Amino acid sequence: MPVGKLMIQAGVVPKDKTSAQGIRDWLKAHPKEGLAWMQKNPRYIFFRELGADAAALPGPSGALGVT
């Protein structure tokens, strides 16, 4: 189930604030609670910045560190 829908049902975020930007803003304002909400949706995609060293990689880094 989408995180926004779960947050509306729990009364955490009003329906008019469940756009991608609204949810992102809430997550930034509530980092500790946000982690738990993100984990409720197994399809939520997490990205991380690899920094300057990423340019030296032959391709994208997978979940097991395989490039």
Side-chain angles (χ1 to χ4, degrees):
M1 182 177 288
V3 173
K5 189 170 186 175
L6 293 171
M7 294 173 92
I8 292 169
Q9 289 175 349
V12 175
V13 176
K15 189 173 185 176
D16 65 331
K17 300 288 184 187
T18 55
S19 65
Q21 186 61 50
I23 293 171
R24 197 175 304 124
D25 292 343
W26 189 91
L27 293 171
K28 284 183 182 179
H30 305 88
K32 289 182 183 177
E33 298 94 335
L35 181 59
W37 281 103
M38 288 185 290
Q39 292 174 342
K40 292 180 184 289
N41 184 347
R43 293 176 295 192
Y44 192 88
I45 300 171
F46 296 90
F47 293 96
R48 64 183 171 92
E49 290 187 36
L50 297 176
D53 295 337
L57 296 174
S61 180
L64 297 175
V66 178
T67 55

